[in-house]
Amino acid sequence: MDAQVLLKALVEKKLIDQEGSEKILRESFLTQKSVEEIIYNKRVIDDVELAKLKSQILKVPFKKFTAEDIGKDILQYISEDIARTYKVVPLSKTADMLVVGMLNPDDQKAQDALKFIAKQLQINLGVFLITFGDYDSILRKFSPFKDEVDMAIKSLNLKNIKTTSREKTVQLDEKVSVAEDAPIIKIVASTLREAVNLGASDIHFEPEKLFMRVRFRIDGDLQEMSQMPIELHQPIISRIKVMANLKIDENRIPQDGRFKSSVFGKDIDFRVATFPTPAGEKVAIRVLDSSVGLRGLDDLGLRGENSAVVREAIAKPYGMVLVTGPTGSGKSTTLYALLQILNKTQVNIVSLEDPVEYYMDGINQSQVKPEIGYDFAAGLRQILRQDPDIIMVGEIRDSETASLAVHAALTGHVVLSTLHTNNAAGVIPRLIDMKVDSFLIPSALNLIVSQRLVSKLCEKCKKSEQAPAPVAEIIKKELAKLPDAINASLKIKEPFTIYRPVGCPVCKGKGVVGRIGLFEVLKMTKELERIINSGSNEASILEEAKRQGMVTLRQDGILKALEGIVGIDEILRETSE
C-alpha cells in the first residue's frame, strides 16, 4: 500500500508523531527499504498494531500466525524465491484451498503470481494479512540448518582435508594451502543464518580432540547445535578469518575483526574473536542484530513508576544517567533505548563505544581504539569540541573517564553511561572510589538504574500453581516493603499464584522464550545529596532509597513473577534481599 497513506493513518491514530513520520519516509527513500520494514526493524510501534491498521484500510482480514503453526510440508506449495519476491508465505492447505499470508495484499504482481500457483494446483485461494514479524519467522523455515550442514559435509572428501590435532606431525615436504570449497562456505553461511534465526547472541566454534563443537548462546545460555568432523575445523576457521579480514596464517595469538552481512533481509554485524588453544583456534562470533538490540523501554521491562522516573530524568537539560549491572545484564540495550527517545533533529548526540554494537541514524557514533591511545578518556576530551547536547559513553572504567564524564554533566550536557556495580546504591561509593569529588556528585548525577536479565516464561505452556509456604513467606515479606501507593494499586491476594516453565514446541521444550529486565531506579534528591555530603555509605543510601519508595530488583522480579512473566525460582536465585 502507499507509504504516505499508511504513515498518515499512523499519525491520525497517534501511534507516531508527524516528525517521526517524516523521518521514516526520508529513511525509506534513502535506503530503498519499505516503510513497514523500517517500522518493524526499529520497533517504532508493535507490528500487530500496524497490521490491524493495514487490515482496516485494505479491508483484508488479519490473522496472527507463528512459525510453529506452519508445518514443513506446507512450504512445498510456494517456493522460497516467490515467497521473498512477493512477500507471501503458505499457511495451510485443504483439498480445495491454499491459504496464504501476505504482507502486501494489494500488490497486483503478487496477486498474479498466486493466481498462477492456484491454477497450477487447481485449487482456490484464501488470503490473510500477516505481520512483518510473522512473515519473517515463517520465511526462515525454508532454510533448515542441520539438513544444509549435513549435505555440505557429505559432499566433502574429508580424506583430502588436513587434520588438526593436539600434536601435529610435521612433514618436511608438506605444502601449505588454504582451500575454500563451496561446502565449507555453505556450512559457515548456514551456521550464521541459523544463529540469526534463533536469536543467538554468540556463536562458538570450539575444537576438541576428535571433533569440532558449535554452540550458540541463546537467552543467556549456551546450547550445543552441532558436532562436526575435526577435519573441517581449519577450513571453517580460515573461511571465517577471510570474512573478517584476519590473518589466515597467524594462529599463535588472538585476533579481532568484524564483518557485515545481509541475513533474512536485515543488516547483521558479526564481531569475530579468535583464541589459540592446544586443539587449535577457537572462534567466538558476537551476533549484532540491530532489529533485536533496538527496543523501547516497555519492551525491556521498565514500566510504571520506574519508566516515568527515567523519562523525567533524561528530559532534564543536563546531568548524568548511569545504568549499572553485571556483564551481560543488558546495560547497552537500555542505553540505546534511551538514545532512541532522545534522538531528535534539534539535538547533537555523540557516542563513544567499545565497540559500536548497533548503528543508529542521527547519532554520531565513534568506536574507541585503546591500542592507539584513543580510549574513553581521550575521546571524551574530543567530544566536547563537537558541540554535543547529549553524550553517551559506553562504560566508565577508570578515574579519568569518571572525572571527565562528571564535568561534562556539570557543564550543561546530558551524559549517559554504564558502570559495573551490584545495585543502584553501590554507584555513589564506586564513583567516590574512582576519585570523583563527593561534593560534585549530587549536582552531576540525575539518576541511577540498576538491572538484571531473567528468562521470560513461554506464554503457550506456562503452568500456574499455588506458591509453596517458604516461597509465599518471601513474597509476603517483599510485598510488605513496597511503597503504600504501589501496594494500593496491586490486586494481589493470598494464596499467591506463581507460574512455572513446562516446555512445548513453541519454546522448543525449554519453557522460556526470550529475556526481560528487572530494574531498580534511584534518583537524586535533597536528602540523598545531604547523605553524600556527610560521608555516604551504601547502608545510608539504601535507607534513602527506601524512603523514596524505590522498588528493588527482587521486588520488581516478584511482581513480574506474580504476573506470570517470569519464574519465581530464577528471581530468588538471581536477586538478593
Side-chain angles (χ1 to χ4, degrees):
M1 66 181 294
D2 184 81
Q4 291 186 332
V5 171
L6 179 60
L7 288 170
K8 184 180 177 182
L10 288 171
V11 172
E12 288 174 352
K13 291 277 186 181
K14 297 185 178 179
L15 293 172
I16 60 174
D17 57 23
Q18 187 60 42
E19 182 185 351
S21 167
E22 292 169 0
K23 193 173 180 180
I24 291 167
L25 193 61
R26 186 167 59 250
E27 185 173 339
S28 175
F29 173 74
L30 293 172
T31 62
Q32 296 300 300
K33 291 182 178 179
S34 72
V35 162
E36 289 176 63
E37 188 175 357
I38 291 168
I39 290 173
Y40 172 69
N41 287 338
K42 290 184 174 293
R43 302 295 197 270
V44 177
I45 63 170
D46 184 70
D47 61 347
V48 173
E49 290 294 324
L50 180 63
K52 286 179 178 177
L53 182 60
K54 276 182 66 180
S55 175
Q56 292 172 12
I57 297 171
L58 297 174
K59 295 181 170 47
V60 175
F62 160 69
K63 193 168 183 180
K64 185 85 175 78
F65 285 88
T66 63
E68 285 73 21
D69 299 326
I70 313 302
K72 285 187 178 181
D73 55 319
I74 300 298
L75 300 179
Q76 63 182 305
Y77 296 106
I78 293 179
S79 70
E80 184 176 359
D81 285 341
I82 289 175
R84 290 187 182 279
T85 302
Y86 299 110
K87 303 290 189 290
V88 54
V89 288
L91 299 176
S92 64
K93 182 184 178 295
T94 60
D96 61 350
M97 180 172 285
L98 175 66
V99 179
V100 299
M102 300 182 72
L103 274 185
N104 304 306
D106 56 337
D107 183 344
Q108 189 59 52
K109 290 183 179 178
Q111 291 175 15
D112 292 342
L114 287 174
K115 286 174 184 175
F116 178 78
I117 292 171
K119 189 176 180 181
Q120 292 281 88
L121 296 172
Q122 296 183 340
I123 56 176
N124 297 316
L125 272 176
V127 174
F128 282 110
L129 179 74
I130 59 174
T131 68
F132 203 100
D134 288 348
Y135 164 76
D136 197 33
S137 63
I138 294 169
L139 195 64
R140 297 178 190 185
K141 296 196 76 168
F142 282 98
S143 304
F145 169 60
K146 291 185 178 177
D147 292 345
E148 284 188 350
V149 171
D150 288 345
M151 286 176 64
I153 291 174
K154 286 177 183 176
S155 70
L156 285 165
N157 184 3
L158 295 182
K159 292 180 181 178
N160 293 335
I161 298 178
K162 298 291 184 292
T163 302
T164 302
S165 63
R166 292 179 185 274
E167 293 184 329
K168 183 179 178 182
T169 302
V170 178
Q171 296 179 8
L172 296 179
D173 59 349
E174 180 179 307
K175 294 181 179 179
V176 178
S177 65
V178 178
E180 286 190 7
D181 296 324
I184 296 297
I185 296 174
K186 182 83 169 174
I187 290 169
V188 174
S190 296
T191 304
L192 298 180
R193 276 199 301 269
E194 183 68 0
V196 175
N197 183 26
L198 296 177
S201 61
D202 300 88
I203 310 167
H204 294 258
F205 294 88
E206 302 168 316
E208 304 288 342
K209 186 174 183 179
L210 301 175
F211 61 89
M212 182 180 71
R213 179 171 61 171
V214 180
R215 292 194 291 173
F216 292 174
R217 187 175 294 281
I218 302 172
D219 296 335
D221 296 322
L222 278 172
Q223 300 176 24
E224 185 170 303
M225 304 304 298
S226 178
Q227 288 187 2
M228 300 184 190
I230 192 63
E231 292 90 346
L232 297 184
H233 168 254
Q234 195 56 54
I236 286 174
I237 300 304
S238 295
R239 170 61 185 162
I240 294 169
K241 283 184 171 182
V242 167
M243 296 170 78
N245 199 25
L246 301 178
K247 295 178 182 177
I248 297 175
D249 57 348
E250 178 58 82
N251 54 21
R252 300 164 300 171
I253 59 174
Q255 297 185 71
D256 292 313
R258 67 188 303 164
F259 62 93
K260 181 180 285 189
S261 184
S262 179
V263 183
F264 303 123
K266 296 186 290 185
D267 289 333
I268 308 293
D269 274 315
F270 297 95
R271 223 169 65 219
V272 179
T274 69
F275 187 73
T277 75
E281 281 185 289
K282 176 189 184 299
V283 167
I285 303 178
R286 172 62 57 87
V287 183
L288 300 172
D289 180 351
S290 60
S291 66
V292 173
L294 300 179
R295 300 181 182 179
L297 292 183
D298 291 342
D299 296 332
L300 298 178
L302 192 63
R303 301 175 299 177
E305 180 65 19
N306 280 348
S307 178
V309 171
V310 170
R311 290 174 190 275
E312 179 187 341
I314 62 173
K316 292 182 178 180
Y318 62 89
M320 288 180 72
V321 173
L322 291 179
V323 182
T324 182
T327 302
S329 60
K331 298 187 295 296
S332 296
T333 304
T334 300
L335 286 185
Y336 282 114
L338 297 178
L339 285 178
Q340 285 189 96
I341 297 171
L342 295 167
N343 190 9
K344 305 290 183 186
T345 308
Q346 59 268 31
V347 295
N348 178 24
I349 303 177
V350 187
S351 78
L352 281 173
E353 305 174 50
D354 185 18
V356 174
E357 292 192 12
Y358 304 107
Y359 291 98
M360 293 182 67
D361 296 326
I363 295 177
N364 304 289
Q365 296 170 271
S366 181
Q367 180 166 326
V368 300
K369 297 179 180 177
E371 65 273 15
I372 60 171
Y374 181 50
D375 55 15
F376 283 121
L380 258 174
R381 291 192 202 94
Q382 295 302 319
I383 274 184
L384 295 174
R385 300 175 186 174
Q386 292 295 318
D387 183 32
D389 298 294
I390 298 163
I391 300 169
M392 194 268 264
V393 183
E395 185 183 343
I396 294 177
R397 297 176 179 171
D398 53 58
S399 301
E400 189 176 8
T401 307
S403 177
L404 287 167
V406 166
H407 282 88
L410 289 171
T411 52
H413 304 90
V414 174
V415 180
L416 310 178
S417 191
T418 69
L419 201 64
H420 283 283
T421 64
N422 289 326
N423 53 31
V427 167
I428 292 165
R430 176 77 178 122
L431 288 174
I432 293 171
D433 187 52
M434 296 175 86
K435 306 295 187 287
V436 175
D437 292 327
S438 60
F439 67 88
L440 295 177
I441 294 175
S443 303
L445 186 60
N446 289 342
L447 192 75
I448 302 165
V449 179
S450 182
Q451 66 182 79
R452 295 286 189 282
L453 283 179
V454 293
S455 300
K456 288 173 65 178
L457 293 175
C458 174
E459 289 294 328
K460 294 283 186 182
C461 66
K462 66 182 181 182
K463 187 175 181 181
S464 62
E465 61 182 29
Q466 187 174 322
V471 174
E473 190 61 35
I474 295 172
I475 293 173
K476 189 175 180 180
K477 178 182 173 184
E478 292 298 330
L479 291 179
K481 297 177 187 176
L482 286 171
D484 293 339
I486 293 178
N487 263 323
S489 65
L490 295 176
K491 296 179 181 178
I492 300 172
K493 296 180 180 179
E494 295 187 65
F496 301 118
T497 300
I498 58 173
Y499 299 79
R500 62 179 177 84
V502 177
C504 69
V506 172
C507 59
K508 299 178 175 61
K510 297 185 296 181
V512 293
V513 178
R515 291 187 291 175
I516 193 169
L518 307 180
F519 295 90
E520 59 183 26
V521 177
L522 178 63
K523 60 183 178 182
M524 185 57 62
T525 59
K526 289 291 183 184
E527 290 79 5
L528 185 54
E529 179 179 356
R530 179 180 52 77
I531 290 168
I532 294 169
N533 290 333
S534 62
S536 62
N537 56 57
E538 199 165 322
S540 57
I541 294 170
L542 275 171
E543 283 300 316
E544 165 57 16
K546 290 177 183 176
R547 192 202 65 77
Q548 283 186 24
M550 182 185 82
V551 178
T552 65
L553 290 169
R554 172 164 281 205
Q555 289 167 345
D556 190 36
I558 285 173
L559 292 176
K560 287 183 169 84
L562 293 173
E563 288 181 56
I565 299 172
V566 297
I568 191 70
D569 291 343
E570 186 175 9
I571 298 302
L572 299 181
R573 185 172 64 249
E574 294 294 328
T575 62
S576 57
E577 294 185 39

